[in-house]
Coordinates of all heavy atoms in Angstrom, one line a residue:
T58 N -5.1 -16.0 4.7 CA -5.1 -14.5 4.9 C -6.4 -14.0 5.2 O -6.6 -12.8 5.3 CB -4.5 -13.8 3.7 OG1 -5.2 -14.1 2.5 CG2 -3.0 -14.2 3.5
S59 N -7.4 -14.8 5.2 CA -8.8 -14.3 5.4 C -9.3 -14.3 6.8 O -10.2 -13.5 7.2 CB -9.8 -15.1 4.5 OG -9.7 -16.5 4.9
C60 N -8.8 -15.2 7.7 CA -9.3 -15.2 9.0 C -8.7 -14.0 9.8 O -7.6 -13.6 9.6 CB -9.0 -16.5 9.7 SG -7.4 -16.8 10.2
S61 N -9.5 -13.5 10.8 CA -9.0 -12.3 11.5 C -7.8 -12.6 12.3 O -6.9 -11.7 12.5 CB -10.1 -11.8 12.4 OG -10.5 -12.8 13.4
H62 N -7.6 -13.8 12.8 CA -6.4 -14.1 13.6 C -5.1 -14.0 12.7 O -4.2 -13.4 13.1 CB -6.5 -15.6 14.2 CG -5.2 -16.0 14.8 ND1 -4.3 -16.8 14.1 CD2 -4.7 -15.8 16.0 CE1 -3.2 -17.0 14.9 NE2 -3.4 -16.4 16.0
C63 N -5.2 -14.6 11.5 CA -4.0 -14.5 10.6 C -3.8 -13.1 10.2 O -2.6 -12.6 10.1 CB -4.2 -15.4 9.4 SG -4.1 -17.2 9.9
Q64 N -4.8 -12.3 9.8 CA -4.6 -10.9 9.4 C -4.0 -10.1 10.5 O -3.1 -9.3 10.2 CB -6.0 -10.3 9.0 CG -6.5 -10.8 7.6 CD -7.7 -10.1 7.2 OE1 -8.4 -9.4 8.0 NE2 -8.1 -10.3 6.0
T65 N -4.4 -10.3 11.7 CA -3.9 -9.5 12.8 C -2.4 -9.9 13.0 O -1.6 -9.0 13.2 CB -4.7 -9.8 14.1 OG1 -6.0 -9.4 13.9 CG2 -4.1 -9.0 15.3
T66 N -2.1 -11.2 13.0 CA -0.7 -11.7 13.2 C 0.2 -11.2 12.1 O 1.3 -10.7 12.3 CB -0.7 -13.2 13.3 OG1 -1.6 -13.6 14.3 CG2 0.7 -13.7 13.5
I67 N -0.3 -11.2 10.8 CA 0.5 -10.7 9.7 C 0.8 -9.2 9.9 O 1.9 -8.8 9.7 CB -0.3 -11.0 8.4 CG1 -0.3 -12.5 8.1 CG2 0.4 -10.2 7.2 CD1 -1.3 -12.8 7.0
R68 N -0.3 -8.5 10.2 CA -0.1 -7.0 10.4 C 0.9 -6.8 11.5 O 1.8 -5.9 11.4 CB -1.4 -6.4 10.8 CG -1.4 -4.9 10.8 CD -2.8 -4.3 11.0 NE -3.7 -4.6 9.9 CZ -4.7 -5.4 10.0 NH1 -5.0 -6.1 11.1 NH2 -5.5 -5.6 9.0
Q69 N 0.8 -7.5 12.6 CA 1.8 -7.3 13.8 C 3.2 -7.6 13.4 O 4.1 -6.9 13.8 CB 1.3 -8.1 15.0 CG 0.0 -7.5 15.6 CD -0.5 -8.4 16.7 OE1 -0.1 -9.5 16.9 NE2 -1.4 -7.8 17.5
M70 N 3.4 -8.8 12.7 CA 4.7 -9.2 12.3 C 5.4 -8.2 11.4 O 6.5 -7.8 11.6 CB 4.7 -10.5 11.6 CG 4.5 -11.7 12.5 SD 4.7 -13.3 11.7 CE 3.5 -13.2 10.4
T71 N 4.6 -7.7 10.4 CA 5.1 -6.7 9.5 C 5.3 -5.4 10.1 O 6.4 -4.8 9.9 CB 4.1 -6.6 8.3 OG1 3.8 -7.9 7.8 CG2 4.8 -5.8 7.2
K72 N 4.4 -4.9 10.9 CA 4.5 -3.6 11.5 C 5.7 -3.6 12.5 O 6.4 -2.6 12.5 CB 3.3 -3.3 12.3 CG 3.2 -1.9 12.8 CD 1.9 -1.6 13.4 CE 1.8 -0.1 13.8 NZ 0.5 0.2 14.3
G73 N 6.0 -4.7 13.2 CA 7.1 -4.7 14.1 C 8.5 -4.6 13.4 O 9.4 -4.1 14.0
S74 N 8.6 -5.0 12.1 CA 9.8 -5.0 11.4 C 9.9 -3.8 10.5 O 11.0 -3.5 9.9 CB 10.0 -6.3 10.6 OG 9.0 -6.4 9.7
A75 N 8.8 -3.1 10.3 CA 8.8 -2.0 9.3 C 9.4 -0.7 9.7 O 9.7 0.2 8.9 CB 7.3 -1.7 8.9
K76 N 9.7 -0.5 11.0 CA 10.4 0.6 11.5 C 9.8 1.9 11.0 O 10.5 2.7 10.3 CB 11.9 0.6 11.1 CG 12.6 -0.6 11.6 CD 12.8 -0.7 13.1 CE 13.6 -1.9 13.4 NZ 13.2 -2.5 14.7
G77 N 8.5 2.2 11.3 CA 7.9 3.4 10.9 C 7.0 3.4 9.7 O 6.4 4.4 9.4
G78 N 7.0 2.3 9.0 CA 6.2 2.2 7.8 C 4.8 1.8 8.1 O 4.5 1.1 9.1
E79 N 3.8 2.3 7.4 CA 2.4 2.0 7.6 C 2.1 0.6 7.0 O 2.5 0.4 5.8 CB 1.5 3.0 6.9 CG 1.6 4.4 7.5 CD 0.7 5.4 6.7 OE1 -0.3 4.9 6.1 OE2 1.1 6.5 6.6
T80 N 1.5 -0.3 7.7 CA 1.2 -1.6 7.2 C -0.3 -1.8 6.9 O -1.1 -1.4 7.7 CB 1.6 -2.6 8.2 OG1 3.0 -2.5 8.5 CG2 1.4 -4.0 7.8
R81 N -0.5 -2.3 5.7 CA -1.9 -2.6 5.3 C -2.0 -4.0 4.8 O -1.2 -4.4 4.0 CB -2.3 -1.7 4.1 CG -2.4 -0.2 4.5 CD -2.8 0.6 3.3 NE -2.6 2.0 3.6 CZ -2.3 3.0 2.7 NH1 -2.3 2.7 1.5 NH2 -2.2 4.2 3.1
V82 N -3.0 -4.8 5.3 CA -3.2 -6.1 4.8 C -4.5 -6.1 4.0 O -5.5 -5.7 4.5 CB -3.3 -7.1 6.0 CG1 -3.6 -8.5 5.5 CG2 -2.1 -7.0 6.9
S83 N -4.4 -6.6 2.8 CA -5.5 -6.6 1.9 C -5.5 -7.9 1.1 O -4.7 -8.1 0.2 CB -5.5 -5.4 0.9 OG -6.5 -5.5 0.0
G84 N -6.4 -8.8 1.5 CA -6.5 -10.1 0.8 C -5.2 -10.9 1.0 O -4.7 -11.1 2.1
D85 N -4.6 -11.2 -0.1 CA -3.4 -12.0 -0.1 C -2.1 -11.1 -0.4 O -1.1 -11.5 -0.9 CB -3.4 -13.1 -1.1 CG -3.6 -12.6 -2.6 OD1 -3.9 -11.4 -2.7 OD2 -3.6 -13.5 -3.5
Q86 N -2.2 -9.8 0.0 CA -1.1 -8.9 -0.2 C -1.0 -8.0 1.1 O -1.9 -7.6 1.7 CB -1.4 -8.0 -1.4 CG -0.4 -6.9 -1.6 CD -0.8 -6.1 -2.8 OE1 -1.0 -6.6 -3.9 NE2 -0.8 -4.8 -2.7
V87 N 0.3 -7.7 1.4 CA 0.6 -6.8 2.4 C 1.4 -5.7 1.8 O 2.3 -5.9 1.0 CB 1.5 -7.5 3.5 CG1 1.9 -6.5 4.6 CG2 0.8 -8.7 4.1
E88 N 1.0 -4.4 2.2 CA 1.7 -3.3 1.7 C 2.3 -2.5 2.9 O 1.6 -2.3 3.8 CB 0.7 -2.4 0.9 CG 1.4 -1.1 0.5 CD 0.3 -0.1 -0.2 OE1 -0.9 -0.3 0.0 OE2 0.8 0.8 -0.8
V89 N 3.6 -2.2 2.8 CA 4.2 -1.4 3.8 C 4.6 -0.1 3.1 O 5.3 -0.1 2.1 CB 5.5 -2.1 4.3 CG1 6.1 -1.2 5.4 CG2 5.1 -3.4 4.9
L90 N 4.1 1.0 3.6 CA 4.2 2.3 2.9 C 5.0 3.2 3.8 O 4.8 3.4 5.0 CB 2.7 2.9 2.8 CG 2.5 4.2 2.1 CD1 2.8 4.1 0.6 CD2 1.1 4.7 2.4
Y91 N 6.0 3.8 3.1 CA 6.9 4.8 3.8 C 6.6 6.2 3.1 O 7.0 6.4 2.0 CB 8.4 4.4 3.6 CG 8.7 3.2 4.3 CD1 8.6 1.9 3.7 CD2 9.1 3.2 5.6 CE1 8.9 0.8 4.4 CE2 9.4 2.0 6.3 CZ 9.3 0.8 5.7 OH 9.6 -0.4 6.3
T92 N 5.9 7.0 3.8 CA 5.5 8.3 3.2 C 6.6 9.3 3.2 O 6.7 10.1 2.2 CB 4.3 8.9 4.0 OG1 4.6 9.0 5.3 CG2 3.1 8.0 3.8
K93 N 7.5 9.2 4.1 CA 8.6 10.2 4.2 C 9.9 9.5 4.1 O 10.0 8.3 4.4 CB 8.6 10.9 5.5 CG 7.3 11.8 5.7 CD 7.4 12.6 6.9 CE 6.1 13.4 6.9 NZ 5.5 14.2 7.4
P94 N 11.0 10.2 3.6 CA 12.3 9.5 3.4 C 12.8 8.9 4.8 O 12.8 9.6 5.8 CB 13.2 10.7 3.0 CG 12.3 11.6 2.3 CD 11.0 11.5 3.1
R95 N 13.2 7.7 4.7 CA 13.9 7.0 5.8 C 14.5 5.7 5.3 O 14.2 5.3 4.2 CB 12.8 6.7 6.9 CG 11.8 5.7 6.5 CD 10.8 5.3 7.5 NE 11.0 5.8 8.8 CZ 10.1 6.5 9.5 NH1 8.9 6.6 9.1 NH2 10.4 7.0 10.7
V96 N 15.4 5.2 6.0 CA 16.0 3.9 5.7 C 14.9 2.8 5.7 O 14.1 2.8 6.7 CB 17.2 3.5 6.6 CG1 17.7 2.1 6.4 CG2 18.3 4.5 6.5
V97 N 14.8 2.1 4.6 CA 13.8 1.0 4.5 C 14.4 -0.3 4.9 O 15.3 -0.8 4.2 CB 13.2 1.0 3.1 CG1 12.2 -0.2 3.0 CG2 12.6 2.3 2.7
P98 N 14.0 -0.9 6.0 CA 14.5 -2.2 6.5 C 14.0 -3.4 5.6 O 13.2 -4.2 6.1 CB 14.1 -2.3 7.9 CG 12.8 -1.5 8.0 CD 13.0 -0.4 7.0
L99 N 14.3 -3.4 4.3 CA 13.7 -4.3 3.4 C 13.9 -5.8 3.8 O 12.9 -6.6 3.8 CB 14.2 -4.0 2.0 CG 13.6 -4.8 0.8 CD1 12.1 -4.5 0.8 CD2 14.3 -4.4 -0.5
R100 N 15.1 -6.1 4.2 CA 15.4 -7.5 4.6 C 14.5 -7.9 5.8 O 14.0 -9.0 5.9 CB 16.8 -7.7 4.9 CG 17.1 -9.1 5.4 CD 18.6 -9.4 5.6 NE 19.4 -9.3 4.4 CZ 19.3 -10.2 3.4 NH1 18.5 -11.2 3.5 NH2 20.1 -10.1 2.3

Side-chain angles (χ1 to χ4, degrees):
T58 58
S59 60
C60 75
S61 62
H62 172 263
C63 288
Q64 284 184 347
T65 301
T66 305
I67 291 166
R68 188 176 297 106
Q69 289 173 346
M70 285 189 303
T71 309
K72 189 174 185 176
S74 63
K76 305 289 186 214
E79 294 176 32
T80 302
R81 297 179 190 154
V82 179
S83 173
D85 59 354
Q86 176 179 306
V87 176
E88 176 185 15
V89 181
L90 183 69
Y91 295 89
T92 56
K93 296 186 181 194
R95 65 176 359 126
V96 172
V97 177
L99 188 57
R100 174 173 299 289

